[in-house]
Amino acid sequence: MSGATDPYAPFRPVTGARVARVAGLASVLVFGLVAVLGPTYAGAGPTMALLNRIFIAGLGLAMGAFLWRYALIRAIPSAAGLVVVNLVLRRELEWSQVASVTFTPGAPWVVLELNDTEELAVMAIQRADGERAKREASRLAALVEHHQR
């Protein structure tokens, strides 16, 4: 169900998630190929050559995992509140904790101003998504306003 018909539809980035998925898969593939098909340097013993290949493959997997995690960021609204899942942080908020929603020009994503003067980025609504991001920011602001009445 889209956000236009369901005010409680999850907020998810589109452009950033798509780029992160493609780049993550490419990282795993390219680094994996380099680890398997790459040259062995003269003077490196068999143990060192194997460790180099393992390191290269591991680096590709780590980059892929990081980028895949980036693709999973989201914000999940419900009647009770909002769960914000950013790159590292997961935070559950009640609607009463949110003072305002800001999406200032030039900012990469929406920021929630909380009642305790703290700010929380909502990476799920990203400026890279253009007009869609503005609509999603407005939908989040409307949810906050609705639940504060």
Side-chain angles (χ1 to χ4, degrees):
M1 201 174 265
S2 74
T5 57
D6 180 10
Y8 293 107
F11 297 96
R12 295 182 189 276
V14 176
T15 305
R18 188 174 298 136
V19 169
R21 283 187 191 99
V22 169
L25 291 172
S27 294
V28 171
L29 179 66
V30 168
F31 278 81
L33 287 173
V34 169
V36 172
L37 303 174
T40 302
Y41 298 102
T47 303
M48 186 56 77
L50 178 63
L51 289 176
N52 283 342
R53 291 179 188 280
I54 291 171
F55 177 77
I56 290 170
L59 184 61
L61 287 172
M63 288 174 58
F66 175 80
L67 289 164
W68 201 262
R69 177 66 184 108
Y70 184 88
L72 297 176
I73 59 178
R74 63 198 175 281
I76 306 162
S78 68
L82 182 68
V83 177
V84 178
V85 181
N86 285 338
L87 194 56
V88 177
L89 180 72
R90 180 183 192 274
R91 180 107 183 250
E92 295 183 28
L93 301 169
E94 295 178 7
W95 291 114
S96 61
Q97 292 177 271
V98 181
S100 67
V101 177
T102 59
F103 196 28
T104 56
W109 40 69
V110 165
V111 174
L112 300 178
E113 293 179 23
L114 306 179
N115 289 336
D116 62 0
T117 68
E118 189 177 346
E119 290 184 343
L120 176 65
V122 180
M123 295 174 70
I125 304 173
Q126 300 179 356
R127 180 143 329 266
D129 288 333
E131 287 302 315
R132 180 185 184 280
K134 291 177 186 175
R135 288 191 308 272
E136 292 291 77
S138 295
R139 179 168 67 97
L140 180 57
L143 281 169
V144 168
E145 183 180 332
H146 170 76
H147 286 284
Q148 302 231 334
R149 285 189 225 156

